[in-house]
């Protein structure tokens, strides 16, 4: 058996030359004698340390041996099978071999101070001959997580200068000196006093020096060394990004990658197998698998259907030490969701549908909603519907509801039960985007049959034309016929139709219509200039069912006649300058006419006969519906005449033509050099020097002051009203209350005896104080007998006064109350409707409900529903 080269070289370097030929039997026992052969030179040369170590050092070596055995387990276990094949050893022999290898590894990590010498440069001291530097060390190694109660031995520092007589002391400085690492100043032994963790700090850099104990001077130069923390498998793998969620399309082939999981181990990846992680799946088989080295999760079964199960929970384990026994492990969960693919075609749940719709259904109304079932979701379940066959292709259409994926059937034309009673549609539903991988499963479409039954309804009358254009001259006489409308009942009953005009469209009632024939006539004189077109609505009602009303529209255009004379287009403000020259144009005028002749307007302008002889102004017709006013002379002066009136005669081209005389007012003004009027008032010459601006302002200020004083006086008078507080000495009953109630005059004494009101105290049975509230009593109304009228009224008023006195909710005592009493002894008895309700009359008032909405209240009071009204 041959050890690895690294172990061989390590042992060769660390064993003293004189100890390489010593037997290993005293240390390991005779059980290993079979392993020490000339073919194993490294083991054959192993020294017998038992003979060279002191008892104390031997105990430290055994403690390190235990730690080495624990740290080297991973290496030996991973090579177990290979060694068994090569060595062909039994269980006992193999166990002994493992112990031997563990011991060899411990030797390689022990103190270099005891096993080798440094080849450092020589050190010179003054006054002495050159000596060879004799530090005995290299790197030190110590296992992490040591749990013993005693300090952990790290190594030993020794100098050749030290003769063992205690004259040399050793000191330690640097990282962890005194706090973690301590040194025996006499022997140079280094111990760790605390538990070390490689994951916190992998190595410590320290400095050591040997001093003369007497002079405290260095006998060796200060040197730096490193204590490395050897890793053990004390950290389990961790999934830092877990738990994971991932998705994979359904129906994916075996081996489709889903997601990669990654675990990290804080142990040293360069030493042993403590950080070598292997992945395995604990939950999720046989649907998924995981790559042991990469952590890639893949599908393990084909044709996984989302519609059957859409989510899987996987548990993935990561174990270090290459997955061998004794390794640490960590787990994470992976939720895998199967995403949808279009692998399910749409299918109608029924082969045929039937719907009933009334023939009065408006255009664009929904007839029905149908839906094809699709197990897919999202975009894979989006549908397209179309009508592929049937006799209703132009009558109906189908569209898709984007939210529910339903097919919406709507009517596109008006339905007529009398023309066609039913329609048959063949409708196809298909997926918008089919997946070619699954076309072999069958066509991704389906068809169904929809039958639409048209139901007959009582339809309103229908006019023969939706719009009736009519024309009438504005000169037509009242009662002349304008035109005729016609409507019929489309139902099979063909009920007679009655016509009327919707007066909301003919508020001025210009037109009438014959209820039976539909002939429209004029009811008033028409004026095109007031309203050129009348748009009226004609109502057609069935005689048997007046609730069925059809509407027709009539557009009546009023034809124009020449009934309006022309006139000035505007109110002209014409001026003439005092320095105007003869023949100068001072105004250009035009005319308008409310009529609209077919050939357009053409006006003729001239001066009236009386105006033609004036010597001041003349008129020129420009032949373009305008005329110019010119001056005939110069020398206009405002002092002589400031205003001139010029009558102008205007004639239109109508048949017959109409004319009008319009007067143009011309003012004489003072103009500047450019002919712009400055002043046109003739009084400006005679007006003396006017008031200055300051005087006008003073006058206005005085007027405003007077107005303010007047307002203050009025306000103060209104505030001096007497307060509404009654004097204690004034009797409130002495106030006179006036009512605007007109009677029959002073001679009207036959209808009522006023003496009864003036002598009420004569027949009072009891007297009640008017200044206190009487006790509440319940008085019954007495029965009146057949006595003289004045007694009856007197008793009636007296009873009402007594009731008012004891009523706490009555108005003040001295208020005037009005009572209505009919008397008694009437042959017709009471006509009150309240009594009629309680009477046993057999008369039926249900016919009141047929009289229209105006009698609805009476019908509710006296009809069969009166019990519920007063319940």
């Amino acid at each position: 058996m041959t050890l690895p080269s690294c172990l061989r070289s390590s042992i060769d370097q660390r064993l003293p030359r004189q100890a390489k030929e010593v037997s290993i039997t005293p240390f390991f026992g005779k059980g290993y004698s079979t392993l020490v052969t000339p073919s194993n030179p490294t083991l054959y040369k192993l020294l017998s340390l038992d003979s060279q170590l002191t008892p104390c050092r031997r105990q430290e070596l055994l403690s390190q041996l235990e730690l080495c055995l624990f740290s080297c387990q991973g290496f030996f276990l991973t090579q177990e099978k290979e060694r068994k094949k090569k060595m062909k050893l039994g269980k006992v022999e193999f166990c002994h071999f493992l112990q031997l290898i563990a011991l060899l590894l411990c030797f390689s990590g022990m103190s270099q101070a005891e096993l080798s010498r440094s080849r450092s440069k020589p050190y010179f001291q003054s006054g002495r001959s050159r000596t060879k530097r004799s530090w005995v060390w290299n790197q030190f190694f110590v296992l992490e997580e040591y749990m013993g109660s005693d300090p952990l031995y790290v190594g030993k520092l020794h100098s050749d200068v030290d003769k063992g007589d205690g004259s040399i002391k050793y000191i330690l400085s640097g990282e962890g000196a005194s706090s973690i690492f301590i040194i025996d100043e006499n022997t140079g032994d280094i111990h760790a006093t605390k538990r070390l963790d490689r994951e916190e700090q992998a190595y410590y850099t320290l400095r050591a020096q040997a001093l003369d104990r007497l002079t405290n001077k260095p006998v060796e130069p200060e040197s730096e060394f490193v204590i490395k923390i050897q890793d053990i498998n004390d950290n389990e793998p961790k999934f830092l990004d877990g738990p994971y969620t991932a998705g994979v399309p359904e129906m994916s082939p075996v081996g489709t990658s889903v997601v990669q999981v990654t675990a990290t181990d804080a142990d040293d990846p360069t030493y042993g197998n403590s950080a070598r992680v292997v992945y395995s799946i604990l939950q999720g088989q046989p649907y998924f698998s995981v790559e042991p080295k990469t952590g890639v999760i893949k599908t393990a079964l084909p044709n996984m259907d989302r519609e059957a199960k859409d989510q899987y929970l996987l548990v993935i384990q990561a174990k270090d030490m290459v997955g061998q026994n004794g390794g640490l492990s960590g787990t994470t969960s992976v939720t895998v969701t199967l995403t949808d693919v279009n692998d399910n075609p749409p299918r109608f749940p029924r082969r045929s549908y039937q719907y009933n719709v009334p023939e009065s259904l408006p255009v664009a109304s929904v007839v029905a909603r149908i839906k094809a079932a699709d197990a897919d979701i999202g975009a894979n379940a989006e549908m397209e519907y179309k009508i592929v066959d049937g006799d209703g292709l132009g009558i109906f259409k189908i569209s898709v509801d984007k939210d529910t994926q339903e097919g919406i059937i709507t009517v596109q034309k008006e339905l007529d039960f009398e023309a066609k009673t039913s329609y048959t549609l063949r409708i196809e539903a298909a997926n918008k985007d089919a997946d070619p991988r699954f076309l072999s499963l069958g066509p991704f479409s389906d068809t169904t049959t929809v039958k639409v039954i048209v139901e007959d309804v009582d339809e309103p009358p229908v006019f023969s034309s939706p719009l009736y254009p009519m024309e009438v001259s504005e000169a037509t006489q009242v009662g002349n016929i304008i035109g005729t409308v016609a409507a019929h009942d489309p139902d099979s009953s063909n009920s007679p139709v009655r016509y009327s005009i919707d007066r909301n469209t003919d508020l001025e009632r210009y037109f009438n219509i014959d209820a039976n024939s539909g002939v429209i006539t004029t009811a008033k004189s028409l004026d095109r200039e007031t309203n050129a077109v009348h748009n009226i609505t004609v109502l057609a009602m069935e005689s048997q069912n007046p609730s069925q009303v059809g509407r027709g529209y009539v557009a009546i255009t009023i034809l124009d006649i020449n009934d309006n004379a022309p006139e000035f287009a505007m109110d002209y403000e014409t001026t003439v300058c005092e320095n105007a020259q003869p023949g100068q144009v001072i105004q250009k005028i035009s005319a308008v006419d409310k009529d609209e002749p077919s050939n357009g307007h053409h006006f003729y302008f001239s001066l009236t006969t009386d105006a033609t002889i004036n010597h001041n102004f003349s008129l020129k017709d420009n032949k373009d519906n305008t005329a110019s006013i010119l001056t005939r002379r110069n020398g206009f002066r405002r002092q002589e005449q400031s205003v001139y009136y010029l009558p102008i005669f205007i004639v239109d081209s109508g048949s017959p033509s109409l004319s009008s005389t319009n007067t143009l007012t011309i003012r004489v003004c003072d103009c500047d050099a450019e002919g712009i009027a400055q002043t046109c008032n003739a009084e400006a010459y005679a007006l003396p020097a006017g008031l200055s601006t300051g005087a006008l302002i003073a006058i206005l200020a005085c007027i405003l002051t007077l107005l303010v004083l007047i307002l203050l006086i009025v306000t103060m008078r209104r505030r001096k009203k007497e307060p509404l507080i009654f004097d204690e000495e004034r009797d409130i009953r002495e106030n006179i209350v006036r009512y605007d109630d007109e009677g029959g005059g002073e001679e009207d004494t036959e209808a009522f005896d006023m003496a009864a009101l003036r002598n009420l105290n004569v027949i009072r049975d009891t007297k009640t104080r008017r200044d206190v509230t009487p006790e509440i009593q319940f008085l019954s109304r007495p029965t009146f007998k057949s006595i003289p009228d004045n007694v009856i009224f007197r008793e009636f008023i007296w009873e009402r006064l007594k009731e008012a006195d004891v009523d706490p909710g009555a108005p003040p005592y001295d208020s005037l109350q009005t009572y209505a009493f009919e008397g008694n002894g009437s042959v017709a008895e009471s006509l009150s409707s309240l009594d009629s309700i309680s009477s046993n009359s057999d008369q039926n008032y249900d016919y009141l409900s047929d009289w229209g909405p105006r009698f609805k209240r009476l019908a509710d009071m006296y009809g069969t529903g009166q019990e519920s009204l007063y319940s």
Side-chain angles (χ1 to χ4, degrees), residues 596-616:
E596 292 183 0
S598 57
N599 297 327
H601 292 289
H602 188 74
F603 303 112
Y604 303 95
F605 300 88
S606 62
L607 297 177
T608 61
T609 305
D610 298 336
T612 55
I613 60 176
N614 80 90
H615 303 286
N616 300 312

Side-chain angles (χ1 to χ4, degrees), residues 448-517:
T448 188
T449 302
V450 177
K451 188 173 184 180
V452 181
I453 305 298
V454 181
E455 296 178 344
D456 187 25
V457 296
D458 190 4
E459 298 176 275
V462 177
F463 283 88
S464 58
S465 175
L467 178 63
Y468 292 89
M470 299 181 183
E471 293 181 348
V472 62
S473 173
E474 63 178 330
T476 188
Q477 299 296 322
V478 175
N480 286 356
I481 296 175
I482 302 174
T484 304
V485 297
H488 68 282
D489 185 4
D491 299 320
S492 57
S493 60
N494 196 16
S495 175
V497 175
R498 295 182 61 83
Y499 302 95
S500 63
I501 294 177
D502 185 357
R503 292 305 176 185
N504 291 326
T505 61
D506 185 24
L507 298 175
E508 301 295 331
R509 295 181 177 268
Y510 284 108
F511 308 98
N512 289 328
I513 189 171
D514 187 271
N516 297 317
S517 64

Side-chain angles (χ1 to χ4, degrees), residues 470-476 526-534 556-566 592-603 652-656 658:
M470 299 181 183
E471 293 181 348
V472 62
S473 173
E474 63 178 330
T476 188
L526 303 176
D527 186 9
R528 190 204 63 82
E529 288 71 34
T530 302
N531 193 352
V533 178
H534 295 265
I556 302 175
T557 302
I558 309 301
L559 301 179
D560 185 42
I561 62 172
N562 191 21
D563 58 345
N564 292 277
V592 293
D593 194 331
K594 295 180 180 179
D595 297 322
E596 292 183 0
S598 57
N599 297 327
H601 292 289
H602 188 74
F603 303 112
D652 62 16
S653 59
S655 178
L658 297 179

Side-chain angles (χ1 to χ4, degrees), residues 105-124:
L105 291 176
C106 290
F107 292 155
S108 66
M110 290 172 57
S111 168
Q112 306 303 312
E114 296 177 335
L115 300 179
S116 64
R117 290 177 178 270
S118 174
R119 297 180 180 179
S120 305
K121 295 180 180 180
Y123 172 66
F124 295 91

Side-chain angles (χ1 to χ4, degrees), residues 119-253:
R119 297 180 180 179
S120 305
K121 295 180 180 180
Y123 172 66
F124 295 91
Q125 284 187 339
S126 60
R128 293 186 183 183
S129 61
R130 172 178 157 180
T131 59
K132 185 178 180 180
R133 181 180 175 184
S134 302
W135 278 109
V136 185
W137 67 41
N138 203 334
Q139 290 183 344
F140 291 106
F141 298 87
V142 60
L143 291 176
E144 66 171 336
E145 305 293 345
Y146 172 69
M147 304 297 295
S149 59
D150 297 330
L152 176 63
Y153 180 77
V154 177
K156 182 180 181 66
L157 300 180
H158 183 75
S159 175
D160 290 343
V161 181
D162 188 2
K163 304 301 181 179
D165 55 358
S167 62
I168 303 299
K169 69 174 181 179
Y170 300 93
I171 61 174
L172 193 66
S173 62
E175 291 182 316
S178 300
S179 60
I180 299 177
F181 303 101
I182 60 175
I183 188 171
D184 189 330
E185 64 178 10
N186 296 320
T187 62
D189 293 336
I190 302 174
H191 290 80
T193 59
K194 294 184 179 180
R195 188 182 67 177
L196 302 176
D197 188 357
R198 189 201 67 83
E199 286 71 39
E200 293 183 0
Q201 187 165 347
Y203 63 91
Y204 294 84
T205 303
L206 294 97
R207 294 180 300 278
Q209 194 168 33
L211 303 175
D212 187 282
R213 187 178 298 276
L214 297 177
T215 64
N216 206 27
K217 292 183 179 181
V219 297
E220 297 280 354
E222 186 181 55
S223 298
E224 187 177 81
F225 66 97
V226 175
I227 298 178
K228 288 190 176 181
I229 311 301
Q230 284 188 326
D231 184 47
I232 64 172
N233 190 19
D234 60 340
N235 290 279
E236 72 277 3
K238 295 182 179 180
F239 293 91
L240 302 180
D241 297 329
Y244 295 84
T245 58
V248 62
E250 61 174 334
M251 298 295 177
S252 295

Side-chain angles (χ1 to χ4, degrees), residues 73-81 233 235-237 265 267-269 271-280 292-294 317-330:
Q73 283 180 358
F75 173 77
F76 299 129
L77 290 177
T78 55
Q79 304 297 328
E80 179 179 356
K81 294 183 180 179
N233 190 19
N235 290 279
E236 72 277 3
D265 197 318
D267 293 325
D268 189 359
Y271 181 78
N273 296 324
S274 300
R276 294 182 62 184
V277 177
V278 174
Y279 300 93
S280 61
K293 295 183 179 180
T294 62
Q317 175 184 267
K319 190 173 183 180
D320 57 15
M321 299 298 295
V322 201
Q324 300 298 328
N325 293 333
L328 303 179
S329 64

Side-chain angles (χ1 to χ4, degrees), residues 336-461:
V336 180
T337 302
L338 296 183
T339 57
D340 186 56
V341 298
N342 193 6
D343 59 338
N344 293 278
R347 292 289 181 264
F348 283 105
R350 294 167 56 184
R351 298 285 67 169
S352 63
Y353 298 86
Q354 179 173 318
Y355 300 97
N356 294 352
V357 295
E359 62 175 334
S360 60
L361 189 69
V363 174
S365 299
V366 177
V367 175
R369 286 175 173 261
I370 60 175
K371 184 177 182 180
D374 193 331
D376 297 322
I377 59 175
N380 297 319
E382 292 182 356
M383 300 285 184
E384 287 182 341
Y385 296 90
K386 60 181 177 179
I387 302 175
V388 296
D389 195 8
D391 55 359
L393 289 175
I395 307 299
F396 303 93
K397 82 168 186 178
I398 188 168
S399 60
V400 62
D401 188 330
K402 299 297 183 181
D403 297 328
T404 63
Q405 297 301 317
E406 292 179 310
I408 306 174
I409 303 174
T410 55
V411 60
Q412 295 301 298
K413 294 183 179 180
E414 292 184 354
L415 303 177
D416 190 357
F417 173 81
E418 288 73 24
K420 191 173 181 60
T421 59
S422 65
Y423 297 89
T424 301
L425 308 173
R426 188 161 184 81
I427 297 176
E428 178 186 79
N431 283 134
K432 291 181 64 176
D433 301 315
D435 195 331
R437 295 178 299 170
F438 306 104
L439 292 179
S440 59
L441 300 177
F444 275 73
S445 62
D446 195 18
T447 58
T448 188
T449 302
V450 177
K451 188 173 184 180
V452 181
I453 305 298
V454 181
E455 296 178 344
D456 187 25
V457 296
D458 190 4
E459 298 176 275

